[in-house]
Amino acid sequence: MASKGEQEILVVAGREIAVSNPRKVLFPQAGYTKLDLVRYYIAVADGALRGAGGRPNVLVRYPNGIDGEFFYQKRAPQSRPPWIEVVSLSFPSGRTAEEVVPRDAAALAWMANLACLELHPHPVRAEDLDHPDELRVDLDPVAGVQWGQVREVAHVVHATLADFGLIGWPKTSGSRGMHVYARIGRRWTFPEVRRAALAFAREVERRAPALATSKWWKEERHGVFLDYNQNAKDRTIAGAYSVRARPDARVSAPLTWEEVSDCQPEDFTLATMPERFREIGDRHAGIDRQPCSLEPLLELSARHEKEGLGDAPWPPQYAKQPGEPARVQPSRKRTSRHPLIEIGRAEKKEDALAGLERWRARHPDAAAHLEPADLLVDAMRGRFATWTRIRVNLQHVPMDLRPVQEPLDPNQGPKGWSASDIEKWRAKAPLRKPPVRRPSRKP
């Protein structure tokens, strides 16, 4: 290893990787630098590549650290080494993009040098982009749900997978939830895998109705949401060993099922995971040995359809799908059971939360009746960045204390809009979801 100016040169997998600005702090509270991030991914490369290697990856970049703005980058940078592999993907929009396919530790180090904290692999191999080789079960707890309940639902997931002939491989998400993967044969299309995931989510909900839900709309959820739409094409989630943008730099940790009952998400960080990896290796080392079949779940899906339980909503960026129910939030229906009001929209989450605190101060009696799950904080993903919307469900507030809808505070359009765009949006539909601003260039 040698240093050169503001670079640190590392030799990784026989290649020289120049780490630019190596002492740049990405995690202010913990003090971890870009060089720390690069060395982390080198240390856990074998495991990280088992989850993300050989697959197209979206780059989730934090160039100014976790307290700065971040963005999703589908297109591989044009100024990349010739040995960085890419593959061209097509998206529901009809556009295409060349995404990075890491194959070795050098590629992971190169990605980390871009301040790419998370590995976001697609559920397909670069050699076959049309047939996923894994079913992804994403356990996403609603606000106020404790980690213990996530673990309970994970055990229900484990048993349910086994009953349908699938082998589950659990890991912490690195945030509040948990992921369980099941390797499958490369025989089924994205719509078929999503159908299987939806049937599975509904089956877990049937087995544990007080703990889990398959409901797509946030105002209908409770407990732990099984996000079946993570299996739709062009959806990615943080892969195994990904570093998450949390103050303690916690990571997505592969587990055994015996570890699920006692683990805590904060046990696994950028600092602690390399030692765990050296001592016990990759808990998912056997994940590729026995691909399973989706046929039992697809048969369950067919039974659901015969019983009148058809498709469920797709993500908003997808065109209306055959058999999909009306894509209308329950709160927007005339007979809605969910009295929602919108508080504000902002480019930065902290600005939106500040607006929520101002609303609380104006309506203390109503705020006192709110439960954690009544606060709906939505990260709205735009073309290149996210923005935040905050809504409040007044279902637990007595009728005589429910505030009426007020002008949004703050009321900011997504980043990249012109002043005229924002004014038109505010004037025409201040409470409507704004349209996506599409750049003219291809992604």
Side-chain angles (χ1 to χ4, degrees), residues 277-357:
F277 193 82
R278 284 192 300 270
E279 291 180 351
I280 64 174
D282 181 15
R283 290 301 201 193
H284 287 186
I287 193 171
D288 293 314
R289 292 174 188 164
Q290 190 176 346
C292 301
S293 174
L294 279 185
E295 289 302 330
L297 279 181
L298 290 174
E299 291 172 3
L300 175 64
S301 177
R303 292 199 299 271
H304 285 170
E305 291 185 13
K306 287 182 180 179
E307 295 166 359
L309 195 60
D311 202 355
W314 286 63
Q317 70 267 34
Y318 289 76
K320 187 72 161 55
Q321 301 294 312
E324 181 185 1
R327 199 179 291 179
V328 180
Q329 292 175 223
S331 55
R332 295 189 182 277
K333 296 178 181 178
R334 293 181 180 179
T335 58
S336 171
R337 297 182 293 106
H338 304 281
L340 265 70
I341 59 174
E342 188 168 352
I343 305 301
R345 301 174 177 181
E347 290 181 16
K348 296 183 178 180
K349 183 177 180 179
E350 55 265 32
D351 293 339
L353 292 174
L356 174 63
E357 291 308 310

Side-chain angles (χ1 to χ4, degrees), residues 127-418:
E127 296 77 19
D128 185 353
L129 300 177
D130 296 320
H131 299 93
D133 71 334
E134 61 188 21
L135 177 76
R136 295 177 171 181
V137 182
D138 181 11
L139 305 183
D140 183 10
V142 305
V145 170
Q146 300 301 309
W147 176 247
Q149 185 168 333
V150 177
R151 295 188 300 198
E152 286 185 74
V153 175
H155 285 300
V156 178
V157 166
H158 184 202
T160 307
L161 285 171
D163 288 345
F164 284 87
L166 294 160
I167 302 172
W169 299 83
K171 67 182 183 70
T172 65
S173 71
S175 184
R176 299 180 59 243
M178 189 174 290
H179 302 150
V180 183
Y181 291 173
R183 285 288 197 266
I184 58 176
R186 283 187 273 180
R187 296 170 43 198
W188 297 277
T189 63
F190 274 98
E192 289 172 321
V193 176
R194 180 189 169 278
R195 278 178 51 205
L198 174 59
F200 181 81
R202 286 169 169 168
E203 176 64 14
V204 172
E205 181 180 34
R206 186 189 69 81
R207 297 185 182 199
L211 301 176
T213 181
S214 65
K215 301 297 186 297
W216 173 252
W217 301 111
K218 281 192 173 183
E219 54 262 45
E220 292 188 320
R221 295 179 194 171
H222 69 276
V224 177
F225 171 51
L226 284 86
D227 191 352
Y228 58 89
N229 270 329
Q230 295 292 15
N231 293 274
K233 188 175 183 179
D234 195 29
R235 300 282 284 197
T236 61
I237 55 180
Y241 299 96
S242 285
V243 181
R244 306 305 301 273
R246 301 291 294 265
D248 58 355
R250 64 185 59 175
V251 306
S252 180
L255 305 168
T256 64
W257 283 109
E258 291 73 20
E259 290 177 309
V260 167
S261 297
D262 298 318
C263 74
Q264 296 293 333
E266 60 271 20
D267 292 341
F268 313 105
T269 69
L270 181 151
T272 64
M273 179 56 78
E275 182 178 358
R276 170 182 165 90
F277 193 82
R278 284 192 300 270
E279 291 180 351
I280 64 174
D282 181 15
R283 290 301 201 193
H284 287 186
I287 193 171
D288 293 314
R289 292 174 188 164
Q290 190 176 346
C292 301
S293 174
L294 279 185
E295 289 302 330
L297 279 181
L298 290 174
E299 291 172 3
L300 175 64
S301 177
R303 292 199 299 271
H304 285 170
E305 291 185 13
K306 287 182 180 179
E307 295 166 359
L309 195 60
D311 202 355
W314 286 63
Q317 70 267 34
Y318 289 76
K320 187 72 161 55
Q321 301 294 312
E324 181 185 1
R327 199 179 291 179
V328 180
Q329 292 175 223
S331 55
R332 295 189 182 277
K333 296 178 181 178
R334 293 181 180 179
T335 58
S336 171
R337 297 182 293 106
H338 304 281
L340 265 70
I341 59 174
E342 188 168 352
I343 305 301
R345 301 174 177 181
E347 290 181 16
K348 296 183 178 180
K349 183 177 180 179
E350 55 265 32
D351 293 339
L353 292 174
L356 174 63
E357 291 308 310
R358 291 190 290 271
W359 182 89
R360 285 179 180 273
R362 292 194 301 273
H363 306 287
D365 293 338
H369 290 275
L370 297 178
E371 297 185 2
D374 293 334
L375 302 179
L376 308 179
V377 182
D378 304 314
M380 312 295 286
R381 185 186 295 191
R383 177 67 60 184
F384 302 109
T386 60
W387 54 283
T388 299
R389 175 182 67 180
I390 292 185
R391 297 173 294 160
V392 170
N393 191 338
L394 301 176
Q395 60 183 333
H396 295 110
V397 179
M399 289 292 295
D400 58 339
L401 294 180
R402 291 181 181 179
V404 299
Q405 178 66 57
E406 299 173 342
L408 300 186
D409 172 29
N411 190 358
Q412 301 172 0
K415 185 177 181 181
W417 282 25
S418 67

